[in-house]
Amino acid sequence: MDLAYVCEWERRPKSNHCPSIPLVCAWSCRNLIAFTTDLRNEEEKDLTHMVHIIDTEHPWDVYSVNSGHAEVITCLEWDQSGSRLLSADADGHIKCWSMTDHLANSWENTVGSTVEGDPVVALSWLHNGVKLALHVEKSGASNFGEKFSRVKFSPSLTLFGGKPMEGWIAVTISGLVTVSLLKPNGQFYKVCVSVVNEKCKIDTEILPSLFMRCTTDPARKDKYPAITHLKFLARDMSEQVLLCASNQNSSIVECWSLRKEGLPVNNIFQQISPVVGDKQPMILKWRILSATNDLDRVSAVALPKLPISLTNTDLKVANDTKFFPGLGLALAFHDGSVHIVHRLSLQMMAVFYGSSSQRPVDEQTIKRQRTAGPLVHFKAMQLSWTSLALAGIDSHGKLSMLRISPSMGHVLDMNTSLRHLLFLLEYCMVTGYDWWDILLHVQPNMVQNLVEKLHEEYMRQSAALQQVLSTRIVAMKASLCKLSSSTIARVCDYHAKLFLIAISCTLKSLLRPHFLNTPDKSPGDRLTEICSKITDIDIDKVMINLKTEEFVLEMTTLQSLQQLIQWVGDFVLYLLASLPNQGSPVRPGHSFLRDGASLGMFRELMVVIRIWGLLKPSCLPVYTATSDTQDSMSLLFRLLTKLWLCCREENHITEPDDTLIDECCLLPSQLLIPNIDWLPINDGIISKLQNKQLVRLQFGKAPGLVGHTVSSQFDAFVRAPGQPKIDHLRRLHLGAYPTEECKSCTRCGCVTMLKSPNKVTAVKQWEQRWIKNCLCGGLWRRMPLSYS
């Protein structure tokens, strides 16, 4: 384990700081972290209970809100989608927070529930029934269906048709269990049990209790007076429990499992009624799996979220030298150290010593330090969803981000570590979870290997699954390539490909069959089929084979699409003009020159645009040509088709002939080659962590790009300061100093206006695609009005 970065508050008066108040934090599957701090108002002498939400890529961009809780916040819990947050306090109040306008740095309290005066000690969202388990032992399998399987798991509550109901369940200190259900319109039910005409039926199951082993040991019976931590070992399993009992100076941790066991039957009863087959009576019984010796006092516990499917050899796996992320849990101690231990055997796997903790080399020093005064230690702690990162909030409210090695502290060869990272990337690709925490461990020399392996595994999947994951894998490759200077130009290509796929889907969806009794294939499918069969280089001859009546749209709709159409035309011209320089892989667009599928998409769109141009000439892309009589679209289509024919079959790619290269060399003398607006440099933290040196940050202050190892590679693709900015999704120029409020992607840096300036349905349909997420799947965050 090592520190990746720390983010702390600017220095505050000691009178405002409340280090004794318990803190809580939660980590979502979208890599958002929520945590609490408490501030004392010096004048009114009361406490303000704050909730802070950050994105791990931009930890300084913190959204802090006065929670409105009158008592200390005891629980924070994200929902399965990572877009809503529950907070509960010591007065029985529960609040549900959700994003405002789908912005990761803007939140509001929408609904809530109350159990007046009864402190909430446990809180959880109702389960939606979706659970995807990882089979570690099958990580080498070729099929994703073998590596990750849907576990048969029923939703907590269902509506008509089996649709899961949304809501939460809370347990108070008095043992009261309450359930609140959200209505589709945002209101909620509070579920209470009552008897109506003696027809109410409640099914309950009495489960056995357990006593910690340390309380039954005469030598330690009174040593640990209180249970300080009680948690289920996994989010969706109630059969395994972690218990921690503590006194003022030390703790002991025990792991218990609830199992079905056969009830032994006396021989006398066996003779009277022999037990046959499965008829043997069974009972549920708690069995201790493991226990620690006396430890330093535990201050926080973090449990893994990965639903790993382990076989009956659980404890055998625990003793294996090849550990896997997700098999370990984290224990933080009052001396400032953090230990990763196996979640079943509690064996030590890795250790981290904080700045205030002492390495165990001098016992006298440790004893002196313990008596010197309170140490800075984690009071709340959470593991990421892949268990490759750990966030800790210390007693001063400082956030520390720790890397946890994929080998869990053991020395493994590079191939095994890469296989772990690849396996988890595939898991994120299938589940839709954010993979930021995996990128923490990717070094520049790993990037090429990971991208190739990821592509190989993707190509082994069924055609249907490939289609589902097509954009996600492109976004994943882009985020990986950003970490190496040798692959940085490909980042531009991958984001351009995401934009191309989106435009192709949107424009094809606007096509409508001319007659109702049409065949199974949609106009978009027929367009793809005809363009792939007819390899003619004349755009008009390809167009003749299409039913042009299916392409008829309203004039206002066609005009509103002009900005997207212009991007298609500009990009095709840029690609063809760059063909003579194809030997330079550091130039953006290089990978498109060998990508038959993408070139085929451009070819289809050129045909569609040609047809629309007959209806509305002003919607056509505008080119600056040296000759008034030149048909620019026909010229570009002819050259594009020749290039496409060279690489349309992935296994039989041929080099472009000299004639094609010569014609492309002439393009700059025939048409003005446009400047392509590539994405801006992402101002996130991940690329600053490559050298594994600690980065110190402050909440509310964005760091500069000093020390950015990759930024210089982007210089050729970025607009200089003072040049016009662009809305990357709408392809609209915003001016050098935009006056419209904008939002940017937390992952790729894509910028777009917060409010839509359009009223045309087709454009609204385009904008609706990105209302929740960016092209790459990242979340949006509000930008300052005059962003640079």
Side-chain angles (χ1 to χ4, degrees):
M1 278 191 294
D2 65 287
L3 265 176
Y5 64 75
V6 295
C7 199
E8 51 193 330
W9 302 98
E10 62 178 330
R11 296 196 178 277
R12 296 172 175 172
K14 287 188 177 180
S15 57
N16 288 14
H17 185 58
C18 307
S20 61
I21 299 294
L23 304 176
V24 287
C25 68
W27 194 323
S28 83
C29 63
R30 307 302 303 273
N31 281 318
L32 297 176
I33 295 177
F35 63 99
T36 63
T37 60
D38 294 280
L39 297 176
R40 180 182 286 112
N41 188 316
E42 203 167 355
E43 297 176 0
E44 301 175 11
K45 302 296 182 185
D46 60 351
L47 291 178
T48 301
H49 305 289
M50 304 292 293
V51 173
H52 311 282
I53 299 174
I54 63 148
D55 164 46
T56 52
E57 177 72 338
H58 304 87
W60 57 87
D61 186 15
V62 61
Y63 182 79
S64 302
V65 60
N66 181 347
S67 66
H69 286 288
E71 296 293 332
V72 64
I73 298 173
T74 56
C75 301
L76 286 176
E77 188 75 17
W78 290 100
D79 70 350
Q80 287 90 344
S81 68
S83 59
R84 285 180 300 190
L85 177 71
L86 292 176
S87 61
D89 66 19
D91 196 31
H93 291 271
I94 301 171
K95 296 188 176 187
C96 178
W97 303 84
S98 58
M99 291 184 189
T100 308
D101 297 325
H102 308 287
L103 297 170
N105 58 353
S106 183
W107 296 77
E108 61 181 353
N109 171 221
T110 49
V111 293
S113 60
T114 303
V115 184
E116 199 69 48
D118 209 354
V120 177
V121 294
L123 183 67
S124 179
W125 287 88
L126 297 181
H127 203 283
N128 61 4
V130 178
K131 182 180 176 184
L132 198 69
L134 290 87
H135 299 277
V136 179
E137 69 281 3
K138 295 182 180 178
S139 61
S142 60
N143 191 342
F144 284 174
E146 296 178 40
K147 298 179 184 181
F148 319 111
S149 64
R150 285 285 294 267
V151 178
K152 193 174 181 181
F153 202 85
S154 299
S156 305
L157 286 171
T158 55
L159 292 163
F160 177 76
K163 182 181 178 182
M165 294 190 76
E166 293 184 321
W168 57 83
I169 182 168
V171 182
T172 67
I173 201 166
S174 65
L176 178 66
V177 178
T178 91
V179 178
S180 300
L181 300 178
L182 286 169
K183 290 181 180 179
N185 59 4
Q187 298 175 326
F188 68 95
Y189 301 96
K190 184 176 177 182
V191 178
C192 301
V193 178
S194 58
V195 178
V196 180
N197 298 329
E198 300 182 356
K199 289 185 179 179
C200 178
K201 181 183 178 183
I202 305 171
D203 294 323
T204 60
E205 183 180 356
I206 299 175
L207 297 176
S209 302
L210 67 90
F211 293 92
M212 289 186 70
R213 180 171 286 183
C214 63
T215 62
T216 59
D217 182 356
R220 295 189 290 189
K221 185 174 183 182
D222 300 318
K223 188 174 180 179
Y224 299 102
I227 293 177
T228 52
H229 299 88
L230 167 63
K231 293 179 181 289
F232 292 113
L233 275 175
R235 291 170 59 85
D236 307 323
M237 290 178 60
S238 56
E239 294 83 18
Q240 293 171 346
V241 172
L242 184 83
L243 293 152
C244 175
S246 307
N247 56 31
Q248 289 296 319
N249 300 312
S250 59
S251 299
I252 195 164
V253 178
E254 296 179 0
C255 179
W256 290 75
S257 179
L258 185 64
R259 298 180 177 178
K260 278 188 177 181
E261 296 183 359
L263 185 65
V265 180
N266 192 284
N267 289 335
I268 297 174
F269 297 107
Q270 281 272 23
Q271 294 170 5
I272 298 172
S273 177
V275 175
V276 180
D278 298 332
K279 293 184 178 180
Q280 182 180 5
M282 305 291 286
I283 60 168
L284 286 168
K285 199 166 186 178
W286 287 102
R287 291 288 185 187
I288 189 166
L289 293 175
S290 52
T292 64
N293 296 321
D294 293 0
L295 305 168
D296 196 86
R297 189 178 176 192
V298 173
S299 61
V301 176
L303 296 172
K305 301 178 178 69
L306 273 178
I308 294 177
S309 175
L310 294 175
T311 59
N312 294 329
T313 58
D314 289 353
L315 291 177
K316 178 180 178 295
V317 173
N319 296 320
D320 194 354
T321 56
K322 294 182 180 178
F323 291 95
F324 184 80
L327 292 179
L329 58 91
L331 301 174
F333 296 93
H334 275 249
D335 67 354
S337 65
V338 178
H339 294 183
I340 302 291
V341 299
H342 193 277
R343 70 181 188 182
L344 298 179
S345 70
L346 301 180
Q347 289 181 343
M348 178 76 73
M349 299 167 73
V351 64
F352 168 79
Y353 296 99
S355 57
S356 63
S357 61
Q358 278 286 331
R359 287 163 173 76
V361 291
D362 185 351
E363 292 186 10
Q364 293 300 319
T365 306
I366 296 174
K367 288 178 181 177
R368 286 197 302 271
Q369 192 182 46
R370 283 181 181 172
T371 57
L375 297 170
V376 176
H377 56 269
F378 291 155
K379 302 196 74 173
M381 199 166 56
Q382 280 277 314
L383 283 164
S384 71
W385 281 64
T386 63
S387 293
L388 291 180
L390 176 73
I393 313 296
D394 68 15
S395 44
H396 294 301
K398 180 175 71 177
L399 171 74
S400 297
M401 180 64 65
L402 282 76
R403 291 186 191 88
I404 301 178
S405 167
S407 58
M408 302 304 286
H410 287 71
V411 179
L412 297 181
D413 60 274
M414 177 65 81
N415 287 335
T416 307
S417 297
L418 281 173
R419 195 163 64 242
H420 283 347
L421 293 177
L422 180 65
F423 189 45
L424 292 171
L425 282 170
E426 291 168 352
Y427 177 71
C428 289
M429 185 161 56
V430 171
T431 57
Y433 295 162
D434 186 69
W435 55 90
W436 178 89
D437 43 333
I438 304 175
L439 300 181
L440 274 177
H441 300 269
V442 178
Q443 294 300 303
N445 61 343
M446 299 180 183
V447 170
Q448 186 66 33
N449 200 338
L450 274 176
V451 170
E452 289 175 1
K453 294 285 186 187
L454 198 63
H455 183 75
E456 286 174 14
E457 295 298 322
Y458 169 79
M459 294 305 294
R460 292 179 183 177
Q461 310 312 309
S462 65
L465 185 56
Q466 284 186 30
Q467 188 173 0
V468 170
L469 304 177
S470 59
T471 54
R472 208 169 289 162
I473 189 173
V474 175
M476 197 169 273
K477 288 177 181 177
S479 60
L480 287 167
C481 288
K482 200 176 292 186
L483 303 178
S484 171
S485 57
S486 62
T487 55
I488 200 72
R490 287 161 62 183
V491 178
C492 299
D493 288 12
Y494 286 130
H495 283 291
K497 186 169 183 178
L498 286 172
F499 199 71
L500 168 63
I501 293 170
I503 287 182
S504 177
C505 291
T506 301
L507 297 190
K508 284 182 181 179
S509 69
L510 296 174
L511 308 181
R512 294 289 181 266
H514 188 59
F515 301 104
L516 291 177
N517 55 342
T518 54
D520 295 337
K521 290 182 180 177
S522 66
D525 293 334
R526 282 200 297 277
L527 170 69
T528 302
E529 185 180 8
I530 290 170
C531 286
S532 62
K533 282 183 180 178
I534 300 176
T535 59
D536 203 296
I537 60 174
D538 188 337
I539 191 170
D540 294 322
K541 289 182 179 178
V542 177
M543 190 175 67
I544 290 171
N545 292 275
L546 294 166
K547 297 178 180 178
T548 51
E549 61 268 16
E550 295 179 339
F551 293 75
V552 176
L553 295 178
E554 292 181 6
M555 296 297 112
T556 53
T557 300
L558 289 175
Q559 190 60 50
S560 68
L561 298 171
Q562 203 280 329
Q563 300 296 336
L564 301 182
I565 291 171
Q566 185 69 47
W567 180 86
V568 174
D570 285 350
F571 204 88
V572 169
L573 175 54
Y574 171 85
L575 284 181
L576 293 171
S578 64
L579 181 61
N581 300 317
Q582 60 180 314
S584 175
V586 297
R587 289 175 61 89
H590 172 78
S591 62
F592 277 94
L593 302 176
R594 295 290 183 275
D595 185 353
S598 295
L599 295 176
M601 278 191 212
F602 276 121
R603 194 166 173 269
E604 293 168 20
L605 292 177
M606 293 283 279
V607 174
V608 174
I609 293 168
R610 181 72 163 193
I611 297 173
W612 285 345
L614 299 175
L615 301 171
K616 181 79 171 175
S618 61
C619 79
L620 287 170
V622 177
Y623 296 106
T624 304
T626 55
S627 170
D628 294 337
T629 59
Q630 179 174 278
D631 187 345
S632 301
M633 282 205 70
S634 292
L635 171 65
L636 294 177
F637 185 83
R638 179 165 58 83
L639 299 178
L640 178 64
T641 301
K642 287 182 178 181
L643 180 59
W644 169 68
L645 289 172
C646 294
C647 55
R648 64 172 176 161
E649 295 182 19
E650 189 176 351
N651 300 324
H652 297 87
I653 296 177
T654 59
E655 290 298 317
D657 58 29
D658 292 340
T659 307
L660 174 58
I661 293 176
D662 290 343
E663 287 187 278
C664 289
C665 283
L666 292 174
L667 275 177
S669 64
Q670 297 169 305
L671 297 167
L672 180 66
I673 309 303
N675 289 321
I676 300 297
D677 291 289
W678 306 106
L679 288 178
I681 297 177
N682 185 10
D683 61 347
I685 194 69
I686 195 72
S687 55
K688 301 177 187 178
L689 305 175
Q690 292 289 296
N691 54 13
K692 292 205 170 183
Q693 291 182 352
L694 173 63
V695 177
R696 295 192 175 275
L697 305 165
Q698 186 173 315
F699 289 118
K701 290 187 178 179
L705 289 173
V706 179
H708 195 295
T709 56
V710 180
S711 63
S712 60
Q713 300 291 329
F714 257 125
D715 290 346
F717 321 139
V718 180
R719 284 174 174 262
Q723 282 193 308
K725 309 291 190 305
I726 192 167
D727 183 322
H728 291 107
L729 293 184
R730 298 182 178 90
R731 310 312 302 179
L732 296 173
H733 290 281
L734 302 175
Y737 303 98
T739 56
E740 292 290 328
E741 271 198 305
C742 293
K743 58 185 179 181
S744 69
C745 174
T746 57
R747 294 295 173 261
C748 70
C750 175
V751 175
T752 187
M753 284 184 286
L754 195 58
K755 294 180 180 177
S756 172
N758 296 298
K759 296 181 180 179
V760 181
T761 305
V763 182
K764 285 186 175 180
Q765 177 186 336
W766 167 257
E767 293 171 344
Q768 199 65 30
R769 285 174 169 263
W770 327 120
I771 195 73
K772 292 183 179 179
N773 302 105
C774 174
L775 284 159
C776 69
L779 295 171
W780 296 112
R781 62 186 183 116
R782 188 191 301 269
M783 298 182 68
L785 190 58
S786 56
Y787 74 92
S788 58

